[in-house]
Amino acid sequence: MKAKTILIVLIVTGLTAYYIYTPVPDPVQQKWKVMLVNAFYRSVQNVAEFAEMFHLKHYMHVMRWVTDAQYVLAITDENITVTDTIFSGVPVRVYVPKRKTKKLRRAIIYIHGGGFSTASAEMKGYDILSRTTATALDAVIVSINYRLAPEHRFPAQFEDAYAVAKYFLQDQILHQYSVDPNRIGVSGDSAGGNLATAVAQEIQADKEVTIDLKVQVLIYPALQALDFNTPSYQQNRRQIMLTKDLAVRYWSEYFATDKDLVRAMSSNLHVPSSFHEMFTFLNWSILLPEIFKKNYIYAQPKSGNPVFIKKYPGLLDSRAAPLLANDEKLRGLPKAYIITCEYDVVQNDGIMYATRLKVAGVQVTHVNYEDGFHGLITFNSWPIEFNIYFKVFADYINWLDTNL
């Protein structure tokens, strides 16, 4: 009996260790904590797959359990007044410093990540990010709660983000919050980095908007859904936090719940040859510096099924995939700070965009964190705070303090 018990314990321990253990690249710090957090997220993904397989719940509704569990109230503290309100029909959480000043304040419009399907401005990680940013910069932060897939597809997410930005960039609203109209930026991470990029592009072209954005800060942005075979997608396809499969699923849900689309995207077979000229905007063999090509060989895109572009034209819309914007649209954009991470499938998206902005004459600062991974900007509180967050956040604040 004792031998059987020991055997069972050994088997359970071995299976648990096998499930939890994920090879973590050497440069990444706090490896065991990274493994545990990654195993937790992987478990949630497995539950989501199971629930979907048996038609119990939509995949993304299960994925939301994690972010919904991190909801925090809009609590005012000794430094910041926090208010949940509505801008142009869209819920926002606004952070205003209490410190008295005779000068007008800077402001940042922040757009959260979450694959267009999960998370919110009310999530603890984003609440902490907004509070600490508002305090460090003595700035007003407007954090947007845009609509999510699968209930709402593209362009709903973009339309909400754009509506808030356009509403805020009015003299009477800026006066209400004592904001300097010459010192306003837009920022976002992951899917939010995508939306921040698209907002910056469209605001510049909107003749109804008379106040310009001064800066754009894009934190590991996901900027295109045409090529899922870039070096960073290949290198990190099974990497920590965000795998290629999950990234493809998030992208597909932005447009539809369509398993055929997921399979086609995974194989780069969702764009017909008649649209292959769009790949010139994201040809990584030209746009990536040699160090980021990782000895991968660029392959010409294969001709995909034309049905997907017909059903989901948003795949080619620069509001959904800002890397597809033409060169003319990039000229005159606000100076940019682009953060990418070495162990992240979307790393190359940000780097290619940095290259294209520079060619268009935009001032760009690009920082690639060689020990970084996707999602780190929200890993900022116990028990899932990581040292890399504090390093990235400090650089983020220093750049904004100098440039905004």
Side-chain angles (χ1 to χ4, degrees):
M1 187 68 180
K2 188 175 180 181
K4 286 184 178 180
T5 302
I6 293 173
L7 180 61
I8 290 170
V9 170
L10 288 173
I11 291 172
V12 171
T13 302
L15 289 173
T16 302
Y18 176 79
Y19 188 80
I20 290 175
Y21 181 78
T22 301
V24 176
D26 285 340
V28 176
Q29 301 176 29
Q30 299 173 282
K31 287 181 173 55
W32 276 105
K33 185 184 280 192
V34 170
M35 275 189 229
L36 289 169
V37 173
N38 188 65
F40 171 74
Y41 282 111
R42 194 148 44 92
S43 299
V44 175
Q45 291 168 39
N46 291 340
V47 172
E49 289 166 0
F50 178 87
E52 186 173 56
M53 183 186 303
F54 291 97
H55 307 288
L56 301 174
K57 213 167 183 64
H58 192 283
Y59 183 94
M60 289 303 169
H61 291 163
V62 176
M63 294 297 287
R64 276 188 211 161
W65 290 349
V66 177
T67 54
D68 289 351
Q70 298 179 63
Y71 169 84
V72 292
L73 295 169
I75 298 175
T76 296
D77 60 28
E78 66 275 13
N79 298 314
I80 305 293
T81 298
V82 184
T83 308
D84 286 334
T85 187
I86 303 291
F87 282 4
S88 193
V90 180
V92 296
R93 181 166 285 190
V94 183
Y95 301 76
V96 180
K98 287 184 175 181
R99 187 188 312 165
K100 292 183 179 180
T101 177
K102 294 181 180 179
K103 296 193 302 182
L104 294 176
R105 287 192 165 93
R106 299 177 275 199
I108 297 170
I109 301 165
Y110 195 86
I111 312 174
H112 71 79
F116 308 107
S117 302
T118 69
S120 74
E122 299 151 346
M123 186 176 140
K124 186 177 181 181
Y126 288 116
D127 183 72
I128 289 174
L129 177 64
S130 294
R131 285 176 187 274
T132 50
T133 302
T135 301
L137 297 176
D138 192 31
V140 174
I141 310 296
V142 177
S143 190
I144 305 174
N145 260 332
Y146 54 86
R147 288 170 289 173
L148 301 174
E151 294 85 356
H152 306 280
R153 309 293 186 179
F154 172 80
Q157 291 81 344
F158 166 78
E159 289 174 343
D160 285 357
Y162 191 75
V164 169
K166 190 168 180 177
Y167 176 87
F168 189 63
L169 293 172
Q170 299 179 85
D171 287 321
Q172 65 269 31
I173 304 303
L174 298 181
H175 177 75
Q176 179 183 337
Y177 288 97
S178 299
V179 169
D180 186 338
N182 298 309
R183 304 180 75 188
I184 303 167
V186 64
S187 179
D189 65 294
S190 192
N194 168 296
L195 294 168
T197 307
V199 165
Q201 290 178 1
E202 298 300 321
I203 281 285
Q204 176 180 252
D206 192 334
K207 295 180 180 179
E208 294 180 359
V209 180
T210 59
I211 296 171
D212 294 329
L213 293 168
K214 187 176 183 182
V215 301
Q216 54 180 322
V217 179
L218 315 175
I219 304 170
Y220 39 78
L223 299 177
Q224 57 88 23
L226 295 194
D227 189 358
F228 292 99
N229 204 36
T230 63
S232 60
Y233 266 107
Q234 293 185 65
Q235 173 184 275
N236 300 306
R237 62 188 181 278
R238 296 187 183 90
Q239 198 49 267
I240 50 180
M241 305 308 173
L242 182 66
T243 62
K244 175 183 174 178
D245 287 345
L246 184 56
V248 167
R249 184 61 192 266
Y250 277 134
W251 265 115
S252 67
E253 287 294 336
Y254 197 20
F255 306 107
T257 299
D258 184 338
K259 292 296 182 63
D260 290 334
L261 177 61
V262 172
R263 284 189 285 270
M265 282 180 154
S266 296
S267 303
N268 266 11
L269 293 174
H270 56 300
V271 183
S273 57
S274 55
F275 290 98
H276 280 183
E277 74 276 4
M278 303 299 289
F279 282 85
T280 60
F281 297 125
L282 45 93
N283 184 333
W284 59 261
S285 70
I286 296 171
L287 296 172
L288 286 182
E290 286 298 322
I291 191 173
F292 295 111
K293 293 179 184 177
K294 309 292 184 184
N295 295 319
Y296 289 102
I297 305 300
Y298 182 78
Q300 292 297 323
K302 299 176 183 177
S303 185
N305 192 330
V307 69
F308 298 115
I309 297 300
K310 291 178 182 177
K311 290 174 70 173
Y312 315 118
L315 285 163
L316 301 178
D317 192 321
S318 63
R319 296 174 302 164
L323 193 52
L324 299 182
N326 61 41
D327 294 343
E328 183 62 32
K329 199 168 188 176
L330 302 186
R331 294 189 183 100
L333 285 174
K335 67 171 65 174
Y337 183 61
I338 299 177
I339 293 171
T340 59
C341 295
E342 186 65 26
Y343 303 105
D344 183 2
V345 292
V346 300
Q347 178 210 39
N348 292 167
D349 288 16
I351 299 171
M352 287 191 285
Y353 193 58
T355 300
R356 292 199 57 212
L357 287 177
K358 289 175 184 176
V359 171
V362 178
Q363 185 178 335
V364 180
T365 301
H366 167 236
V367 181
N368 183 67
Y369 290 91
E370 294 185 359
D371 53 348
F373 48 85
H374 198 86
L376 62 81
I377 204 69
T378 56
F379 293 134
N380 53 21
S381 65
W382 189 90
I384 54 170
E385 63 182 5
F386 289 99
N387 296 336
I388 183 64
Y389 160 77
F390 296 102
K391 177 182 177 182
V392 173
F393 179 72
D395 293 343
Y396 171 75
I397 291 299
N398 286 338
W399 189 89
L400 281 169
D401 197 31
T402 301
N403 293 278
L404 180 58

